[in-house]
Amino acid sequence: MSRMRVGQKAHRALDFLVGVSHRRARAALETQGFTAEDLAEGWARLMALSSPGRTVLEPVAPAPDVLGELQAFEGRWVPVCEVVLRLNFPAVHAVVLHKLGRTEGPDVVASITVLLDRLEAIARPEEEGGLGDEGRRARALLAQRKLTDEVIAEGRALLARIGRAPDAPTEEELDELDREARALAEQRLWSWYLEWSTLARLAIRDRSLLRSLGFRRPGRVAAGSEEDV
């Protein structure tokens, strides 16, 4: 037998679901344990096949706690700046740490932004708003204490993640998700149909009832098969 298309499977399932409304067919199926919940499940799986969308996809995991990472960044590097600059470059300390300290909650965003801006500015020439040679030497000492340009870049990257939604999937990725969702919905519908259609043909001998369930030519029943085509 050639492989059934998804539309053919959906048609078979629909015929069966409509046929179950027949009182005698329903009573026969109930002897096999068929319930209202099983009927509702069949309709739900059929509807999912027609509009799988993203409903069958796993929910996206929440984004990391960026505020917490910024808080850890502040707790690590503000004390380094404070002690290194205060003891070695008091004038630079006065500029970099002016009104800065440990913060709580969303205030950490502004605190880290100001700190990084000032650290980048102090190494500029005085005519560009920096502290010239003293600022460059202060930055060099901080780098020796592991507050390097790479660490500053890491802080910038954390700030860039604030308020940014996860990257949206591309059209190609959405198409692939749709294909996967539809294939899963098809498999779930067909497994429901195969189970209950097999049980129906075990319980029902009346040909008119079998036709009402969509069986055009009853034949041998094999578990997990569809042999009435």
Side-chain angles (χ1 to χ4, degrees), residues 33-223:
F34 191 80
T35 66
E37 288 74 20
D38 294 313
L39 180 62
E41 178 67 18
W43 282 112
R45 294 191 186 194
L46 180 62
M47 293 299 294
L49 179 62
S50 65
S51 56
R54 309 292 181 260
T55 58
V56 299
L57 303 179
E58 293 297 324
V60 178
D65 182 3
V66 182
L67 284 180
E69 293 183 50
L70 284 170
Q71 205 81 58
F73 186 94
E74 181 187 66
R76 172 70 175 89
W77 297 113
V78 167
V80 171
C81 290
E82 203 287 324
V83 68
V84 171
L85 297 180
R86 177 169 54 83
L87 296 177
N88 297 279
F89 298 95
V92 178
H93 176 275
V95 171
V96 172
L97 276 301
H98 180 62
K99 293 185 177 180
L100 285 185
R102 297 296 298 274
T103 57
E104 297 291 338
D107 289 343
V108 71
V109 177
S111 175
I112 296 300
T113 300
V114 171
L115 175 67
L116 298 182
D117 286 347
R118 290 174 179 175
L119 287 173
E120 291 177 341
I122 60 174
R124 296 171 188 159
E126 293 182 13
E127 58 270 23
E128 295 179 12
L131 298 179
D133 184 62
E134 187 174 20
R136 287 189 291 273
R137 289 190 292 112
R139 278 290 300 275
L141 183 58
L142 287 171
Q144 292 179 28
R145 303 296 184 262
K146 305 305 180 182
L147 181 49
T148 61
D149 291 344
E150 289 74 19
V151 171
I152 291 175
E154 290 171 7
R156 291 291 188 195
L158 286 175
L159 291 172
R161 288 165 55 193
I162 290 293
R164 190 182 71 188
D167 293 337
T170 65
E171 282 300 316
E172 291 76 12
E173 290 171 331
L174 288 174
D175 288 343
E176 179 61 26
L177 291 175
D178 279 338
R179 284 191 292 270
E180 293 175 358
R182 191 169 298 279
L184 177 59
E186 177 187 350
Q187 186 274 327
R188 295 185 73 248
L189 173 65
W190 196 235
S191 65
W192 182 94
Y193 173 77
L194 286 179
E195 177 182 358
W196 286 112
S197 65
T198 299
L199 292 175
R201 284 177 292 175
L202 289 172
I204 300 172
R205 290 291 179 262
D206 187 310
R207 289 174 179 256
S208 64
L209 281 183
L210 289 171
R211 283 195 296 272
S212 74
L213 292 170
F215 304 135
R216 293 190 290 276
R217 189 177 72 246
R220 291 185 307 162
V221 178

